[in-house]
Amino acid sequence: MKVCLKIFASLISLLVLVGLGYGVYYHISNSRKLDNLNICQDDELVVKLIEKNINPFSKFKFIKKRNSDCNELLKENKNKAINSQDEKYCSVLDSSTVSLLLVINTYVNDMYDRETASKELHNTAQLMTPYDYCPQYFDNMIKIISVKKRLGLQ
């Protein structure tokens, strides 16, 4: 009887370890997929990721990734936008503005780093300039400038 209990306990322990191993593997594989995915214009995914991660560093990581992904889209579509002035490239402006404002507010309010916030603002504003033909360009720039003034950024 004692041998059966030991075997049963060993099997349960093994199942728990296998379950934990699978959980860790699943988490790592999902993280790798997200690193390769451009999340700039995927608002639902960004909200889910921020809600799931309570740790402020994780939230900042996703906010920073979204801003980087938006900047990447602005760079990728720059020549197409300048040459064609097609409004299909304009939607990235709204996403870029939202992600930029989140990053700036995080730098200023949580990290007390106005210098980096100013650099992020300047870099993204420069990347948005070729999209000045878009209807929402000036509204987004007004938002950015007002946040810049309100936070006292350079």
Side-chain angles (χ1 to χ4, degrees):
M1 188 70 167
K2 285 185 176 184
V3 172
C4 287
L5 285 175
K6 286 183 179 179
I7 292 173
F8 182 72
S10 297
L11 287 174
I12 294 296
S13 299
L14 182 63
L15 284 173
V16 168
L17 287 174
V18 168
L20 286 173
Y22 177 75
V24 168
Y25 170 76
Y26 183 77
H27 176 72
I28 291 172
S29 69
N30 278 344
S31 295
R32 286 185 184 153
K33 288 177 189 174
L34 288 174
D35 288 341
N36 296 328
L37 185 65
N38 189 315
I39 62 172
C40 175
Q41 295 187 293
D42 195 342
D43 295 332
E44 291 176 24
L45 177 62
V46 170
V47 169
K48 283 183 201 173
L49 293 174
I50 290 173
E51 286 176 351
K52 280 174 40 178
N53 293 291
I54 305 302
N55 181 350
F57 180 76
S58 296
K59 284 183 184 180
F60 180 69
K61 177 182 173 186
F62 289 119
I63 290 169
K64 182 76 174 145
K65 178 176 175 19
R66 183 177 186 203
N67 191 56
S68 297
D69 287 352
C70 286
N71 287 347
E72 188 177 308
L73 275 179
L74 289 168
K75 287 177 193 174
E76 283 177 16
N77 295 327
K78 175 183 172 183
N79 290 333
K80 295 175 194 170
I82 290 172
N83 294 333
S84 70
Q85 294 197 351
D86 191 350
E87 287 192 19
K88 73 179 180 181
Y89 300 112
C90 294
S91 64
V92 74
L93 287 176
D94 293 327
S95 300
S96 294
T97 301
V98 170
S99 68
L100 175 65
L101 296 179
L102 280 171
V103 167
I104 288 172
N105 283 320
T106 303
Y107 273 125
V108 172
N109 298 328
D110 297 342
M111 303 170 112
Y112 308 108
D113 187 357
R114 291 182 181 284
E115 185 177 326
T116 305
S118 294
K119 287 179 185 175
E120 288 286 342
L121 188 142
H122 179 73
N123 291 341
T124 303
Q126 290 294 324
L127 292 171
M128 292 172 83
T129 303
Y131 299 85
D132 62 355
Y133 67 89
C134 296
Q136 66 267 44
Y137 174 78
F138 290 106
D139 289 338
N140 286 318
M141 288 311 235
I142 289 170
K143 287 177 191 174
I144 291 171
I145 291 169
S146 68
V147 167
K148 178 182 176 180
K149 287 180 180 179
R150 183 174 50 85
L151 296 175
L153 302 175
Q154 297 184 17

